[in-house]
Amino acid sequence: MEPPPLALVSLVLLCSAGLTRSLSITSVDQSMFEKAQGEKVTLPCTFVLSEEDEGPLDIEWVLIPADNQKKEQIIIMYAVDRIYNNYYAAMTGRMQFTNSDPKSGDGSLDILNLKSTDTGTYQCKVKKAPGVQSQKIQLTVLVKPARTKCSVEGPQEIGKDVILKCVSQEGSPLLSYNWRRVSGIQELPVASTLNKNSGELLLKNASQAYSGTYSCVASNRVGTDECSIELNVTPPINTAGVIVGAIIGTLLGLFILAFLVFCCCKKQREKKYEKEVHHEIREDVPPPKSRSSTARSYIGSNRSSLGSMSPSNMEGYTKTPYSQVPSEDFERPPGQNPAFAPSKYDIAHKIGDITVV
């Protein structure tokens, strides 16, 4: 194969020299960024123009999707001396050019209040005919550990195995957990095993010397979070004594309940008996006699006695005064006093010293 003509080689070298003198991007030091959620990031894109670049300047930031089947998403653009930042609704109000005049050679992008969904590959494109340059930057937004909780699993008794657990409710992987003792002896017990991935601290054959305050620190590449817990190792509980006490207490409670029920039943029976006795007494008592019947029976008995008397046996008889006639046991209302009918006998006969009507 014959070598290319010298003239052609010279032309290629001249074109290459011309390209190196055209538009170039200078911010190539860092192509990967890791930031925490809620922070701010500046994606660099500085460039230098050459005298040969005479066309209009265009600066464009795009988000390259992880799926190659999807199209690139324009985020912000500078063209014809104007800034257009309404292309990507997910970042509206959270992005801007670092320099308010990008044509000065700084097309860097600021993203505020980062979210985990902002993770992706970003590309800066700078165009000024005939020069065209681009740069890709990988952004990873991580979530700091948060809402970390500590807990104890297992009985806190002497001779038992106790597990201290530590879990963060939020946080991007990879999370790492580390336990430490913050009271008394600062070092962890010798008979302890730490799992930094799960956050579990196993304390075997616990003793009272293990008691104290323990702290757990959860961490990842962008932040840390902490929680603490109090461990109190006590002697084993006397299970037999607890059971006996529970039984005695239960029996005592049942006895008191039975006594109260007995007292209530007895009181009810007494009330019922009193009502029955009172009712029987009222049924046995005869009704009271009226005044008129009492008086008539008394006078009638006297008259019958008088009628049977003969002059011979009238001697020594003493006439009963009317003042001794039984009176009624109650008072009559005014105007209801009985009116006695006049006597049938208008003539009185006197026999000896006695007058008979």
Side-chain angles (χ1 to χ4, degrees):
M1 182 177 179
E2 296 183 359
L6 183 59
L8 180 58
V9 174
S10 300
L11 180 60
V12 172
L13 292 174
L14 288 173
C15 290
S16 300
L19 287 174
T20 56
R21 290 194 301 269
S22 66
L23 170 66
S24 63
I25 294 178
T26 59
S27 55
V28 293
D29 297 337
Q30 189 174 359
S31 60
M32 296 184 66
F33 288 85
E34 280 188 353
K35 291 290 183 178
Q37 182 172 269
E39 293 182 349
K40 167 190 172 182
V41 67
T42 298
L43 305 181
C45 184
T46 56
F47 57 90
V48 175
L49 299 174
S50 69
E51 296 178 357
E52 298 179 2
D53 300 324
E54 298 178 353
L57 176 64
D58 292 338
I59 303 175
E60 185 180 277
W61 278 95
V62 298
L63 176 61
I64 300 175
D67 187 355
N68 295 329
Q69 302 298 323
K70 295 182 180 180
K71 296 177 62 176
E72 297 178 350
Q73 173 67 52
I74 299 176
I75 299 175
I76 191 171
M77 178 188 292
Y78 174 84
V80 194
D81 296 333
R82 290 188 61 185
I83 297 175
Y84 303 90
N85 58 2
N86 296 322
Y87 291 102
Y88 191 41
M91 286 189 178
T92 301
R94 297 193 298 118
M95 60 182 175
Q96 62 187 18
F97 281 108
T98 303
N99 194 321
S100 58
D101 186 15
K103 67 181 179 180
S104 64
D106 187 3
S108 302
L109 175 66
D110 288 342
I111 303 178
L112 312 176
N113 190 21
L114 286 169
K115 299 180 180 179
S116 58
T117 54
D118 295 337
T119 298
T121 302
Y122 295 79
Q123 184 178 46
C124 173
K125 296 180 180 180
V126 182
K127 306 175 184 177
K128 188 172 176 63
V132 177
Q133 293 291 338
S134 65
Q135 176 184 353
K136 291 181 180 180
I137 298 176
Q138 179 66 37
L139 173 64
T140 303
V141 180
L142 300 176
V143 179
K144 294 180 180 180
R147 296 193 298 160
T148 304
K149 295 183 178 180
C150 296
S151 60
V152 179
E153 184 178 284
Q156 301 182 44
E157 298 178 359
I158 295 176
K160 302 290 186 178
D161 292 345
V162 182
I163 299 177
L164 303 184
K165 290 189 172 184
C166 181
V167 178
S168 288
Q169 304 298 317
E170 298 179 7
S172 298
L174 297 167
L175 285 173
S176 177
Y177 299 94
N178 190 30
W179 281 95
R180 61 190 179 90
R181 193 171 179 180
V182 296
S183 64
I185 302 174
Q186 300 297 316
E187 297 179 356
L188 291 175
V190 177
S192 63
T193 305
L194 172 62
N195 188 329
K196 291 189 175 183
N197 295 327
S198 64
E200 293 185 357
L201 177 64
L202 173 61
L203 303 176
K204 296 185 70 65
N205 193 21
S207 66
Q208 285 186 322
Y210 289 6
S211 300
T213 304
Y214 291 78
S215 175
C216 172
V217 178
S219 61
N220 60 9
R221 295 194 297 270
V222 292
T224 62
D225 192 34
E226 186 174 354
C227 68
S228 60
I229 194 169
E230 187 74 21
L231 179 64
N232 185 24
V233 181
T234 59
I237 300 174
N238 186 358
T239 308
V242 172
I243 295 175
V244 172
I247 294 174
I248 294 175
T250 303
L251 294 176
L252 182 60
L254 292 174
F255 174 77
I256 294 174
L257 180 62
F259 179 74
L260 293 176
V261 172
F262 172 77
C263 292
C264 292
C265 294
K266 182 178 179 182
K267 191 171 183 180
Q268 292 293 333
R269 287 197 299 268
E270 290 177 353
K271 288 184 177 179
K272 185 177 180 180
Y273 178 75
E274 289 177 358
K275 289 182 179 179
E276 292 177 353
V277 170
H278 181 69
H279 182 68
E280 291 175 358
I281 292 174
R282 293 189 61 183
E283 288 181 348
D284 295 340
V285 175
K289 295 181 179 180
S290 62
R291 178 184 177 184
S292 57
S293 61
T294 304
R296 283 196 299 267
S297 62
Y298 181 79
I299 295 173
S301 61
N302 286 338
R303 283 181 176 175
S304 60
S305 299
L306 290 174
S308 61
M309 288 183 179
S310 60
S312 61
N313 58 11
M314 290 293 292
E315 295 180 358
Y317 175 78
T318 304
K319 188 176 183 179
T320 302
Y322 276 96
S323 60
Q324 295 182 6
V325 177
S327 62
E328 62 181 350
D329 296 334
F330 57 92
E331 294 182 1
R332 291 183 179 273
Q336 294 186 7
N337 292 326
F340 294 99
S343 174
K344 297 188 298 180
Y345 303 98
D346 296 332
I347 302 173
H349 300 278
K350 186 173 183 181
I351 301 173
D353 295 332
I354 299 172
T355 302
V356 178
V357 180

